[in-house]
């Protein structure tokens, strides 16, 4: 379902440009999204091997294997099939617009259902991340008060294992479950690289500082904060470049409308593409690169488009190539195709933004929990229990600050992993960058709250 709007858009572009259903199916099979292209390749193979009578029959058999949870995907494609057979141009366009609406509506419903399903697991993560460690830290001194309650069934070692190992494993399991059900998660990718590995320096640095100072809690907090600051500094440049690339991609998506208007007005494709891209203020370098590639391409216009636009967005390079192929037959038809594609891209962006805005409250809550709320609550718990421990002659959990420091560092990494996927990111790079931003804040809050004199 996540790929459905793009698939419908590709097929609509091919059919509106004068292509047949066979050509549209083969285009998706060759260059479509990963999961959908596998279905389309199977249909193409069945048609070519004469297992099915034609591509439409082969697609019908392939779609029968799609699960019922993706029913809008099947309905949208069947409407595209019907549109390809319509002799009326206006009727064909109406049916293709209807297929696009079905795809976007299905995606919107899927996003709303996924957002609603996050309430229970996110509350479970919240409870495990804050309430359980706080209760463990609070109950141990009570159980140790002069043996009033008899031998304590839970000692400090068991509490440390529960806090550092068992609770993070439970949170990780919940996070992976949430991640596996995310219909908008892109394919895994983006290794953290050497900059991301700087986060791992927190462990040896903690050991060195502990050996030098003898204060385990302060050593863990200082090392974690230093590792986070170092990682953030090393990755900030790459994050800025990625934001700039995403902004240029958004401008290219907007330029498709302008490209269509220029083609309808009678401009040739090369001039229209240069003008549409060059009008965007942030795309000056892209327009310069495109102009240079078109000047040197010696007729290989598609290769020039891929070289100029591919590094910014492979999808937009493909869109421009499809419009260019249509312009070889009729410039004005290509302009109408560009306007149609631009509208589809705009509709897709509006749906995805609405879904991301719905999920943003969840990601903000998780980030705030790891960076501020959890260290605040746990730090104040340590401060409040310190007088109780002193009153009992030191009974209780003396290493609470050190254990909680390690736990909070783990919590930042786990929440970074979860929120990076909820926010549409992928891979270890974005998770490492988010963790590097949360770690110094979390350690500073915990240090300040746990050192309060009560």
């Amino acid at each position: 379902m996540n790929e459905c709007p793009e698939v419908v858009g590709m097929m609509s572009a091919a059919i509106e440009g004068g292509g047949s259903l066979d050509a549209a199916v083969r285009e998706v099979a060759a260059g479509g999204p990963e999961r959908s292209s596998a279905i389309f390749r199977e249909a193409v193979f069945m048609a070519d091997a004469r297992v099915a009578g034609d591509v439409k029959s082969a697609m019908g058999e392939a779609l029968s294997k799609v699960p019922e949870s993706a029913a809008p995907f099947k309905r949208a494609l069947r409407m595209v099939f019907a549109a390809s057979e319509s002799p009326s141009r206006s009727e064909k366009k109406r049916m293709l617009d209807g297929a696009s609406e079905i795809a976007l509506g299905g995606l919107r419903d899927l996003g709303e259902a996924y957002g609603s399903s996050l309430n229970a697991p996110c509350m479970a993560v919240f409870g495990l991340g804050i309430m359980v460690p706080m209760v463990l830290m609070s109950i141990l001194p009570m159980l140790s008060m002069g043996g009033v309650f008899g031998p304590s069934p839970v000692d400090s070692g068991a509490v440390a294992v529960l806090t550092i190992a068992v609770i993070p494993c439970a949170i990780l399991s919940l996070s992976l479950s949430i991640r596996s059900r995310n219909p908008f998660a892109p394919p895994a990718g983006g290794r953290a690289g050497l900059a991301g590995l700087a986060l791992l320096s927190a462990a040896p640095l903690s050991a060195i500082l502990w050996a030098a100072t003898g204060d385990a809690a302060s050593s863990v907090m200082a090392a974690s904060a230093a590792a986070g600051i170092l990682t953030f500094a090393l990755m900030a440049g790459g994050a800025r470049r990625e934001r700039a690339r995403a902004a240029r991609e958004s401008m290219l998506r907007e330029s498709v409308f302008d490209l269509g208007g220029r083609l309808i007005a009678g401009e040739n494709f090369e001039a229209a593409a240069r003008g549409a891209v060059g009008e965007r203020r942030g795309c000056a370098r892209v327009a310069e690169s495109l102009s240079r590639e078109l000047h040197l391409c010696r007729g290989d216009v598609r290769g020039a488009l891929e070289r100029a636009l591919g590094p910014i967005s492979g999808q937009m390079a493909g869109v421009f190539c499809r419009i260019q192929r249509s312009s070889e037959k009729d410039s004005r038809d290509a302009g109408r195709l560009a306007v149609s594609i631009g509208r589809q891209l705009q509709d897709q962006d509006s749906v995805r933004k609405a879904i991301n805005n719905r999920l943003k409250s969840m990601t903000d809550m998780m980030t705030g929990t790891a960076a501020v709320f959890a260290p605040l609550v746990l730090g104040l718990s340590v401060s409040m229990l310190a007088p109780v421990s002193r009153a009992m002659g030191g009974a209780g959990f003396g290493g609470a600050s050190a254990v909680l420091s390690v736990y909070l560092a783990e919590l930042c990494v786990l929440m970074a992993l979860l929120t990076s996927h909820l926010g549409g990111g992928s891979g270890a790079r974005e998770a490492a960058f988010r963790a590097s931003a949360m770690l110094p804040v979390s350690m500073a809050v915990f240090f300040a709250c746990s050192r309060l004199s009560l």
Side-chain angles (χ1 to χ4, degrees):
M1 280 306 305
N2 192 34
E3 298 171 352
C4 187
E6 184 177 352
V7 171
V8 171
M10 290 179 68
M11 297 187 72
S12 298
I15 292 171
E16 284 193 80
S20 63
L21 176 62
D22 185 278
V25 169
R26 291 179 186 276
E27 184 169 349
V28 176
E34 180 183 1
R35 293 178 183 273
S36 300
S37 64
I39 297 172
F40 280 64
R41 282 197 302 271
E42 180 184 353
V44 169
F45 173 78
M46 291 171 64
D48 290 345
R50 299 291 186 267
V51 177
D54 54 20
V55 167
K56 184 179 178 181
S57 302
M59 280 299 303
E61 188 170 340
L63 288 177
S64 65
K65 302 176 184 177
V66 174
E68 285 304 314
S69 57
F73 180 85
K74 294 190 282 189
R75 288 200 302 271
L77 291 186
R78 293 188 190 283
M79 185 161 290
V80 173
F81 299 163
S84 68
E85 298 174 348
S86 175
S88 169
R89 187 183 186 92
S90 60
E91 180 69 13
K92 180 182 295 185
K93 179 174 176 53
R94 186 184 66 80
M95 295 178 76
L96 291 175
D97 289 344
S100 179
E101 285 297 321
I102 291 172
L104 292 170
L107 188 63
R108 188 184 299 111
D109 293 342
L110 192 64
E112 292 176 355
Y114 177 67
S116 300
S117 71
L118 291 179
N119 291 327
C122 286
M123 286 299 103
V125 169
F126 182 83
L128 283 171
I130 296 179
M131 301 309 297
V132 175
M134 185 178 69
V135 169
L136 287 174
M137 293 299 119
S138 303
I139 200 172
L140 188 61
M142 301 299 106
L143 293 175
S144 305
M145 290 181 65
V148 172
F149 301 101
S152 174
V154 182
D155 59 10
S156 59
V159 171
V161 171
L162 285 171
T163 305
I164 296 178
V166 177
I167 295 175
C169 286
I171 295 175
L172 179 61
S173 298
L174 280 170
S175 300
L176 292 176
S177 173
I178 294 171
R179 164 68 175 84
S180 66
R181 292 186 288 108
N182 186 358
F184 312 108
R191 294 181 180 178
L194 294 177
L197 292 177
L199 276 178
L200 301 180
S201 65
L205 185 57
S206 298
I208 293 171
L209 291 176
W210 187 12
T213 63
D215 188 343
S218 298
S219 299
V220 172
M221 286 186 274
S224 299
I229 292 171
L230 175 62
T231 304
F232 186 86
L234 292 173
M235 301 185 76
R240 283 195 299 270
R241 288 191 293 273
E242 174 57 24
R243 285 195 297 270
R245 185 208 64 78
R248 289 194 293 271
E249 181 181 13
S250 178
M251 293 177 190
L252 285 178
R253 295 168 79 89
E254 294 173 1
S255 71
V256 176
F257 269 118
D258 190 20
L259 174 61
R262 289 171 179 269
L263 290 171
I264 292 173
E267 290 188 39
N268 62 50
F269 177 81
E270 289 81 356
R274 282 193 293 262
V277 175
E279 278 195 353
R280 269 63 193 173
R281 193 171 186 180
C283 288
R285 290 188 178 181
V286 182
E288 181 183 345
S289 173
L290 178 60
S291 179
R292 182 173 58 252
E293 292 292 346
L294 288 172
H295 182 70
L296 300 174
C297 69
R298 297 188 178 185
D300 183 15
V301 179
R302 279 168 238 170
L305 292 171
E306 290 172 357
R307 288 190 294 272
L309 306 182
I312 299 169
S313 171
Q315 180 193 19
M316 293 312 303
V319 166
F320 273 70
C321 286
R322 287 197 293 276
I323 297 170
Q324 189 274 333
R325 281 198 297 271
S326 178
S327 71
E328 293 176 349
K329 301 176 183 177
D330 187 289
S331 180
R332 287 179 172 78
D333 281 348
R336 286 188 284 270
L337 173 63
V339 170
S340 176
I341 293 176
R343 187 181 68 253
Q344 290 170 355
L345 292 173
Q346 189 178 57
D347 290 342
Q348 291 176 32
D349 287 343
S350 65
V351 169
R352 294 182 191 281
K353 284 178 182 177
I355 292 170
N356 287 334
N357 288 337
R358 184 179 179 86
L359 296 178
K360 191 175 186 300
S361 60
M362 293 293 179
T363 59
D364 289 347
M365 185 186 75
M366 294 300 175
T367 301
T369 295
V372 178
F373 194 62
L376 176 68
V377 172
L378 296 178
L380 290 176
S381 297
V382 170
S383 294
M384 289 186 292
L385 291 173
V388 177
S389 181
R390 287 195 299 268
M392 295 185 300
F397 190 8
S401 293
V403 170
L404 289 176
S405 299
V406 175
Y407 168 72
L408 288 172
E410 295 175 340
L411 185 64
C412 286
V413 174
L414 291 171
M415 291 301 99
L417 180 66
L418 176 58
T419 56
S420 66
H421 289 303
L422 285 178
S426 64
R429 175 172 289 276
E430 185 170 349
F433 183 70
R434 290 180 183 236
S436 69
M438 288 190 281
L439 269 172
V441 178
S442 178
M443 294 298 112
V445 171
F446 182 67
F447 177 80
C449 293
S450 63
R451 293 302 189 271
L452 291 176
S453 297
L454 298 175

